[in-house]
Amino acid sequence: MTYDAVIFDNDGVLTEPTLLEVQREAVRRAFAEFDVDPTTEAIDGVIHGGLTRLRRICSVHEVSVDEFWPRHETHAAEVQLECLENGTKPLYDDVQTLDELDHPLGIVSNNQHATIEHILNVYDMTDHFEVAYGRDPTVEGARVKKPDPHYIERAMDRLDVEKALYVGDSNVDVVAANRAGIDSAFVRRPHRDGYALAAEPTYELDSLDELLAVC
């Protein structure tokens, strides 16, 4: 199959996933600004739950979700920048394969846009990608994250392409690609050992090296 562009998820594809405890620290810091000491259950609800659950948790703690969420996004980007700088959020070795792809490249991630910018800057990868999107630091930005195809479609518009391949490591990546009407490649990293796919990707890969044959 010939593609006009290749678009990548970030966490679990280009960089190793952010540790859960790091994500929890960002939630704690955000709630601390509102003098709230949340339970672990509430913290994990913010991280893993959808927008409805986020609203419920903020309501229980009498915090405006529209005020809390931007603060959370700022702290999440800050703690992940610390991880990038101390080496606890490294690139995967096979990211070097991107140098051999003769396609326009993009990133679409559910991580914060600021975090994606930090990753590109810290690893000197800005010139690799013609477009890179993380989620906007607003409630609306959280609402349209994957599996919504919003950011994939924005990237394709920026790249001015119709036939792209989206490379991810989760069900939401495969579903978002399907909703955008494009092919998907699922990379089964070690952290996805035994992971069940609810939707079938166009390709299943063990490494980014295999993209050379796919593309």
Side-chain angles (χ1 to χ4, degrees):
M1 179 66 71
T2 300
Y3 297 103
D4 301 323
V6 183
I7 304 173
F8 296 85
D9 176 39
N10 177 72
D11 296 84
V13 175
L14 302 179
T15 69
E16 292 190 9
T18 304
L19 296 174
L20 177 58
E21 190 50 45
V22 173
Q23 298 178 61
R24 286 171 170 167
E25 177 61 21
V27 179
R28 292 190 194 97
R29 291 184 187 183
F31 270 122
E33 294 198 30
F34 301 91
D35 296 320
V36 171
D37 183 15
T39 64
T40 299
E41 181 181 5
I43 291 170
D44 288 350
V46 170
I47 296 169
H48 301 298
L51 196 51
T52 299
R53 192 172 180 186
L54 172 65
R55 292 185 187 280
R56 187 183 309 121
I57 292 168
C58 285
S59 176
V60 167
H61 291 92
E62 299 182 334
V63 173
S64 164
V65 67
D66 292 312
E67 294 180 13
F68 170 80
W69 190 246
R71 299 310 307 149
H72 168 268
E73 297 294 79
T74 295
H75 286 295
E78 288 175 350
V79 295
Q80 289 181 95
L81 177 57
E82 293 169 12
C83 293
L84 294 169
E85 292 177 338
N86 67 26
T88 56
K89 189 172 176 62
L91 290 173
Y92 287 102
D93 291 341
D94 58 7
V95 169
Q96 63 186 0
T97 300
L98 274 60
D99 294 332
E100 301 179 54
L101 290 175
D102 189 21
H103 297 72
L105 305 181
I107 295 176
V108 170
S109 171
N110 272 356
N111 214 324
Q112 300 80 33
H113 185 70
T115 296
I116 300 306
E117 291 185 325
H118 291 326
I119 288 166
L120 295 179
N121 289 332
V122 168
Y123 291 119
D124 194 23
M125 296 177 64
T126 303
D127 292 342
H128 278 71
F129 300 96
E130 295 192 18
V131 61
Y133 287 122
R135 67 187 184 219
D136 295 334
T138 61
V139 173
E140 176 63 14
R143 186 185 71 80
V144 296
K145 69 181 184 178
K146 297 173 298 183
D148 193 295
H150 172 76
Y151 288 109
I152 291 178
E153 291 170 346
R154 279 180 63 180
M156 291 177 67
D157 286 344
R158 276 279 303 276
L159 291 167
D160 193 25
V161 298
E162 294 183 359
K163 190 182 294 184
L165 177 67
Y166 188 65
V167 184
D169 74 316
S170 70
N171 278 307
V172 296
D173 296 325
V174 177
V175 173
N178 288 345
R179 292 179 179 177
I182 63 174
D183 288 353
S184 60
F186 172 78
V187 185
R188 193 172 289 279
R189 297 292 196 189
H191 71 279
R192 290 307 193 199
D193 184 32
Y195 182 79
L197 285 167
E200 186 172 348
T202 313
Y203 312 97
E204 182 167 330
L205 313 177
D206 292 322
S207 167
L208 295 183
D209 296 335
E210 296 175 27
L211 282 174
L212 298 176
V214 167
C215 296

